[in-house]
Structures are given as structure tokens and as C-alpha cells.
Amino acid sequence: MPRIRLSLMEKRAIEIIKKAGDNGVLQSDLWKILGTDSREGSRIAIRLEKKGIINREPTIHEGKKTYILRIIKRPPKKISIVTVKGCPCFTCPDLTRCGVGQPINPISCEKLTKWIIEQTQLS
Ligand code: SF4
């Protein structure tokens, strides 16, 4: 997934919406919490919706049209056993001594490097 650029206000808005959980936050409340105006609050919410981070559900609050903002929940990424099948670490006699910062480590391991290169050539 490509990295999404976010402004400081967008990041703050996301935190506020996240904290609200399933109930969501009214767009008309968000801009007040952010300390901005309704126009800027609306722009922030629209940008976050376009970036696929939140959804905006139309609603009426105190007789005025607004939106309920909620974080879009995504299913956890699936990791397939196929992606690690054949990795030399599973059968390596040095597994218990291998670690980042150790003399035996994944960064300098020829077996692991060779296996990763083979995997990239297969895909
Ligand atoms: S990185 Fe290399 S040394 Fe470390 S456990 Fe995997 S195969 Fe063994």
C-alpha cells in the first residue's frame, strides 16, 4: 500500500475520530475540537475520506445537516505460509544464536540472502 501523506491537522483529526470508536464524531464537533472553523473542518474530513481513511455518513444534528465521521476498518493483512515456505531459518542450526547485533545475524546471512534473491526471481 502506498504511503499516504498527512498534514498535522489531518493526523490530529484521525486521532480524534479513532478515539470516538464505532460511535464516530460529528463533523460539526470535529472542527470545534481541532480549534478551526467549519469550512476548514469540512475540507479536512473530505480529504481524509478521499484518502480512504474515514467515511462520512450524512446525518441531521440539532436540525442541521452534518456527517458522522468514522475510521474505515480494514481486515488484517493475511500472511500466507507460502510466502515463507523454504526459508532457511526454519531449519537453521544457528537459529537460537542468530539476531540483529549478533555475530550471526540475518543482515549478513548468505543463506537467507540467497533465499530472498531466489524468491524475488520467482515472482
Ligand atoms: S538468518 Fe541465516 S543464520 Fe540466521 S537463522 Fe536464518 S538462516 Fe540461520
Side-chain angles (χ1 to χ4, degrees):
M1 185 181 218
R3 193 175 163 88
I4 299 171
R5 288 178 163 261
L6 297 167
S7 70
L8 189 60
M9 279 295 227
E10 289 171 344
K11 287 178 186 172
R12 286 184 57 209
I14 289 168
E15 286 309 309
I16 292 163
I17 300 166
K18 258 189 201 171
K19 278 186 187 166
D22 292 340
N23 292 334
V25 173
L26 290 172
Q27 184 172 300
S28 53
D29 287 341
L30 178 69
W31 64 264
K32 292 172 194 164
I33 298 167
L34 288 172
T36 184
D37 58 28
S38 65
R39 194 171 177 166
E40 181 59 18
S42 176
R43 286 182 181 151
I44 291 167
I46 291 168
R47 283 199 303 266
L48 293 177
E49 184 181 44
K50 284 184 178 170
K51 290 176 182 179
I53 297 168
I54 66 166
N55 64 23
R56 299 165 72 229
E57 181 186 321
T59 190
I60 303 290
H61 181 70
E62 296 178 352
K64 292 182 180 174
K65 185 182 167 193
T66 185
Y67 295 87
I68 299 173
L69 312 177
R70 293 186 183 93
I71 295 290
I72 295 174
K73 291 182 181 170
R74 302 188 195 293
K77 289 181 182 174
K78 290 181 183 172
I79 298 173
S80 167
I81 191 71
V82 174
T83 55
V84 293
K85 189 178 174 188
C87 174
C89 301
F90 293 127
T91 55
C92 179
D94 296 322
L95 180 61
T96 55
R97 296 187 296 144
C98 179
V100 175
Q102 302 299 315
I104 300 172
N105 63 72
I107 296 163
S108 64
C109 176
E110 289 181 17
K111 288 184 285 186
L112 184 60
T113 302
K114 182 174 175 259
W115 179 76
I116 291 169
I117 291 169
E118 286 170 3
Q119 301 313 300
T120 57
Q121 290 169 346
L122 292 175
S123 58

